[in-house]
Amino acid sequence: MTAPLRIAVVAALPQTAPPLVEALRSLGHEVPVVIGHRRPADWPGHVLGEQDLPRGVDLVVPARTDSLPALLRAYAPDVAVSYGYPRKLPAEAVTAPRLGTVNCHPSDLPAYRGPNPVGWAVRNGEHRIGVTWHRMDAELDTGNILARTTIPLDDTLWSFTGVNTKVLDTATALLPGVLQRLVDGEPGEPQPERAGTWAGFFDQGYATVDWSADAHHIHTQVRAWNIAGHHPRVQGPVALIDGARWRLRRTTLHQPPAGTGRRVPCGSGHLWVLAADPVDVPAGHA
């Protein structure tokens, strides 16, 4: 078993940082600080706050990423563990901890590097996704591999939170081995030489639902957008129904119970809309 380490957590969401802190502390390690991220002006949900963390764990929200190296050095961690942080860490921050920084990425690297790996996996019809712990370096999702596995991406998963729970459970089970390799000074394995793929945010071209398309294509589009979660600039998938625009939240290819959902004809087949939010809210109803 790895001797107790002083570990800084780099994570910005309440769905990720608290369980990661809990997992590290349950392994006997000290977590003095979580490095969070400032709430974007258009962010629709809750972001990590000090009330989400156990007593004795500081929450630091840097004004700029270039202040991260000094902040990490101030806490003198042995290791930094990054999970789902929305900004690229400066090279000086990555090397600030004594044993370096590791990151968990939900793909089988080098496939689906970038901020939206699971959304693209759904879009491309994948039935499994990777869970990869890698050393962080000066680039994005390119460092040596310390542990990897795969998990099912079944069609019952419809939200970022649902996927994140499965990824995080798998990732924390791999953590003891990852930390031991750092302590032993192992560099890890270089990523496979096959060409990497980039999983950026979906663009405007994928944000609008075209009812003339195949029903399965639209169903996948809805699921991919909802698993991808919040987009900083583009919101989707938006569909026109009875002259009004709706952001689709849940659909099914199979007829639901009577009185449930809205049946919409598509280019081939039918789709039932089970949940949607209005995009155009009348004045005075916001």
Side-chain angles (χ1 to χ4, degrees):
M1 184 174 178
T2 306
L5 297 169
R6 187 173 169 86
I7 300 177
V9 168
V10 183
L13 294 176
Q15 300 99 318
T16 57
L20 193 53
V21 170
E22 180 181 349
L24 290 166
R25 287 166 55 130
S26 71
L27 294 171
H29 303 298
E30 178 188 3
V31 181
V33 64
V34 171
I35 305 293
H37 183 68
R38 287 197 166 197
R39 178 192 182 104
D42 61 348
W43 187 260
H46 174 52
V47 294
L48 185 68
E50 66 277 4
Q51 72 278 359
D52 298 310
L53 300 175
R55 292 175 62 87
V57 180
D58 289 348
L59 174 63
V60 174
V61 181
R64 304 178 312 277
T65 54
D66 59 12
S67 63
L68 280 170
L71 288 171
L72 282 169
R73 285 193 293 268
Y75 282 90
D78 298 303
V79 177
V81 173
S82 170
Y83 188 106
Y85 199 70
R87 291 289 183 271
K88 181 181 177 182
L89 302 187
E92 281 188 80
V94 169
T95 57
R98 180 174 64 88
L99 299 175
T101 301
V102 295
N103 177 63
C104 179
H105 191 71
S107 81
D108 186 22
L109 290 172
Y112 300 121
R113 291 172 175 150
N116 185 21
V118 185
W120 273 98
V122 171
R123 181 173 176 173
N124 289 339
E126 307 279 7
H127 296 293
R128 298 189 70 83
I129 55 171
V131 178
T132 304
W133 282 106
H134 65 95
R135 284 184 177 272
M136 294 190 78
D137 56 21
E139 300 305 320
L140 198 63
D141 303 327
T142 57
N144 283 7
I145 305 298
L146 293 166
R148 71 161 80 229
T149 189
T150 64
I151 59 174
L153 182 62
D154 63 76
D155 57 12
T156 64
L157 294 172
W158 269 84
S159 68
F160 164 81
T161 299
V163 173
N164 177 71
T165 298
K166 289 185 176 293
V167 171
L168 191 56
D169 286 347
T170 302
T172 53
L174 296 173
L175 261 177
V178 170
L179 297 174
Q180 187 62 58
R181 294 192 75 180
L182 292 177
V183 170
D184 292 343
E186 295 185 28
E189 294 74 42
Q191 293 188 24
E193 293 184 0
R194 65 180 185 270
T197 53
W198 180 252
F201 292 118
F202 295 147
D203 60 23
Q204 191 64 53
Y206 194 57
T208 301
V209 172
D210 177 2
W211 291 118
S212 69
D214 176 77
H216 188 274
H217 170 85
I218 299 171
H219 179 66
T220 298
Q221 180 184 11
V222 175
R223 184 165 167 251
W225 269 101
N226 281 276
I227 282 178
H230 177 69
H231 189 297
R233 293 173 298 277
V234 180
Q235 294 298 305
V238 175
L240 193 66
I241 302 176
D242 293 337
R245 295 191 305 156
W246 295 82
R247 185 178 180 195
L248 304 188
R249 294 294 189 180
R250 189 73 180 260
T251 56
T252 181
L253 295 165
H254 308 288
Q255 184 171 351
T260 303
R262 167 70 182 269
R263 179 176 176 267
V264 182
C266 302
S268 60
H270 294 86
L271 194 68
W272 283 264
V273 177
L274 301 180
D277 297 329
V279 174
D280 303 310
V281 180
H285 292 76

